[in-house]
Amino acid sequence: MTIASKHQTFIILAWLSLCVIWGTTWLVIKVGLGDLPPLTYAGMRFLIAGAILSVILLVRKIALPRERKDWQLLATLGVLGVALNYGLLFWGELHVSSGLAALLHAMIPLIGMFFAHYMLPAERITPAKIFGVILGLAGVSLILVNQVQVKSSLAPIATLGILCGGGMVAFCNVLVKARGQKIDTLTLAAGQMMFGFPLLLGAGLLTEGNPLLYVWTPKAWLCLLYLALVGSCVAFMLFLWLVKNLAVTKTMLIALVTPLLAVALGAAVNNEEVNWRIIAGGACIIAGVGMNLLFKKSVRSDTL
């Protein structure tokens, strides 16, 4: 096997692994919210993950960025992509169903295409790309139609907040592709978490009280550790590496696949119903993602 083919194989495995990991996190977030308040829950997730990655940085003796623009990038990713996005997402899931939250975040590829069109000359919008994402969104909508429920009077605000958070993530992903190529992947992951978690924990301390006074159940710890270790440490490293080695518009298509896997997990674990909408929606998602992944263009980093 040549170096190029090994590289392409790793890209495919990383992409599929992220689909599986982030397909499980919706359920884990929802379960954990039964015991923990949202902002502190999200803040603790990134405190643990950021600390672990920072220790690895020190052990590996990876030099920190020296240029001011690189620190500004890390701060932007931390504020928008970690603090605001995850704060809105965790809080929003208190007021809307996890299905609606997943559907809103499935808008990331579509929003990201517009950012990429203006920020990345090699990733212009094409009719095939747009149609593929819309087809995938239609599939997500079919699958989640029975789960799109409101839970409180704050549901409209929560819906807008989750959607805005998804837009911030899309912008951050394109920003990494445009300006973060020279920064070590581990530094990118750890840096944004270390900038983001203090804002989440600070907001949680003001609005949710002292986390030392919470009842930390085994279930809460399991959810928190899974999100920190697998959903953050592993997933962020894989995702940021993919952003550097694959067209970012293709990397963001993971957001279309994760709701399908989340529903499949619900069927396997909770014996939830598998009906014609799930089958048809899954077919639309696969077709839409396939249209984008098979779209050819002459960019060396775009190898999938």
Side-chain angles (χ1 to χ4, degrees):
M1 183 179 288
T2 65
I3 294 176
S5 61
K6 288 181 179 179
H7 183 71
Q8 183 173 358
T9 299
F10 189 77
I11 286 177
I12 295 172
L13 290 175
W15 197 93
L16 293 174
S17 297
L18 278 168
C19 290
V20 173
I21 291 171
W22 279 333
T24 63
T25 53
W26 295 104
L27 176 62
V28 177
I29 289 172
K30 198 68 178 179
V31 171
L33 285 171
D35 293 329
L36 297 174
L39 297 178
T40 301
Y41 185 14
M44 288 296 294
R45 168 184 179 174
F46 290 108
L47 167 60
I48 295 170
I52 291 172
L53 294 180
S54 296
V55 170
I56 297 174
L57 270 175
L58 292 174
V59 171
R60 293 182 57 188
K61 297 180 180 180
I62 296 175
L64 295 177
R66 295 183 178 181
E67 297 186 31
R68 183 177 180 180
K69 64 179 182 179
D70 292 335
W71 286 103
Q72 290 174 337
L73 173 63
L74 293 176
T76 300
L77 298 177
V79 173
L80 298 182
V82 174
L84 290 177
N85 168 52
Y86 282 95
L88 290 168
L89 176 61
F90 277 57
W91 174 80
E93 281 209 46
L94 288 175
H95 304 285
V96 301
S97 68
S98 58
L100 177 55
L103 176 58
L104 294 168
H105 254 233
M107 293 292 293
I108 288 175
L110 187 60
I111 299 172
M113 280 184 183
F114 288 94
F115 285 125
H117 181 77
Y118 292 103
M119 296 171 64
L120 301 171
E123 298 194 38
R124 299 295 188 188
I125 291 176
T126 66
K129 282 185 175 183
I130 293 291
F131 182 76
V133 171
I134 292 176
L135 184 60
L137 285 172
V140 172
S141 301
L142 269 176
I143 289 173
L144 300 178
V145 66
N146 291 334
Q147 301 180 41
V148 178
Q149 304 162 355
V150 297
K151 296 189 172 184
S152 76
S153 59
L154 292 176
I157 298 176
T159 298
L160 180 61
I162 294 172
L163 184 60
C164 287
M168 294 176 195
V169 169
F171 173 74
C172 287
N173 293 340
V174 176
L175 198 61
V176 169
K177 186 73 171 182
R179 303 180 186 176
Q181 292 286 342
K182 295 181 180 179
I183 304 176
D184 182 84
T185 302
L186 184 58
T187 303
L188 277 171
Q192 62 183 290
M193 293 178 191
M194 299 307 286
F195 273 107
F197 88 79
L199 298 176
L200 287 166
L201 286 183
L205 186 64
L206 291 174
T207 61
E208 299 167 350
N210 187 347
L212 297 178
L213 302 179
Y214 300 161
V215 178
W216 289 86
T217 65
K219 182 179 70 175
W221 275 112
L222 283 173
C223 291
L224 182 59
L225 291 176
Y226 179 82
L227 290 173
L229 299 176
V230 181
S232 298
C233 288
V234 175
F236 271 56
M237 288 291 294
L238 286 175
F239 186 81
L240 289 169
W241 183 87
L242 271 180
V243 168
K244 289 184 175 184
N245 290 274
L246 181 67
V248 68
T249 48
K250 293 184 178 182
T251 307
M252 288 187 286
L253 292 173
I254 293 168
L256 290 178
V257 180
T258 51
L260 176 61
L261 294 180
V263 171
L265 181 65
V269 175
N270 297 327
N271 296 316
E272 295 174 0
E273 179 187 8
V274 176
N275 53 39
W276 71 268
R277 279 188 292 269
I278 292 176
I279 296 172
C284 288
I285 291 173
I286 293 170
V289 170
M291 285 186 65
N292 277 273
L293 291 182
L294 296 176
F295 180 76
K296 302 293 184 181
K297 59 196 181 84
S298 57
V299 178
R300 288 186 62 187
S301 64
D302 187 7
T303 58
L304 187 61

